[in-house]
Amino acid sequence: VQLQASGGGLVQVGGSLRLSCAASGLTFSSYALGWFRQAPGKEREFVAAVSRGGGSTFYSDPVKGRFTISRDNAKNTVILQMNSLKPEDTAVYYCAADQVNVLWKIVVGGDEYDYWGQGTLVTVSS
């Protein structure tokens, strides 16, 4: 199983970035997906999650209203659209996948996830 995250980079405050995570080696539609981030010197934190079918999503309070998670089960891809970026969004962003039986289940806890991508760095400059 591989999760390949991409799309990170340097952006100014108020800008946008679109992160993508391509999955292979798994039955993608059987997995709930999530994005996490880890800033320098801080613990990993939950950012957003989407259910197997894409119909349910959940966001952390710091990103709610600015970030949107979506998935394309035909392309085995999960997307994190990030708008109105702030300096505190600077972090390495990781995608993760958790096999679940329930179509609508959202997974928030990092310890529940089975597979992780390698991370992509997002830097927001002020």
Side-chain angles (χ1 to χ4, degrees):
V1 175
Q2 280 195 329
L3 299 176
Q4 184 73 37
S6 61
L10 176 64
V11 63
Q12 291 187 333
V13 169
S16 298
L17 278 177
R18 184 174 182 265
L19 303 185
S20 179
C21 178
S24 60
L26 75 170
T27 304
F28 190 73
S29 59
S30 296
Y31 286 76
L33 304 167
W35 286 94
F36 291 74
R37 67 187 182 185
Q38 187 167 19
K42 295 188 177 181
E43 294 186 352
R44 182 184 65 196
E45 66 172 350
F46 168 80
V47 174
V50 62
S51 60
R52 281 176 51 187
S56 299
T57 57
F58 186 75
Y59 300 90
S60 65
D61 286 343
V63 309
K64 197 174 299 181
R66 300 187 297 121
F67 290 11
T68 302
I69 187 170
S70 62
R71 65 187 294 163
D72 185 338
N73 284 351
K75 296 182 179 179
N76 286 10
T77 301
V78 57
I79 301 295
L80 185 69
Q81 178 65 44
M82 305 187 297
N83 299 328
S84 302
L85 283 162
K86 305 176 180 179
E88 52 264 42
D89 294 320
T90 295
V92 177
Y93 283 72
Y94 300 90
C95 56
D98 180 35
Q99 189 171 18
V100 297
N101 294 324
V102 181
L103 193 63
W104 48 260
K105 184 178 181 180
I106 294 292
V107 181
V108 176
D111 291 346
E112 297 183 62
Y113 280 88
D114 301 317
Y115 302 107
W116 292 82
Q118 85 290 358
T120 185
L121 176 62
V122 172
T123 303
V124 184
S125 64
S126 56

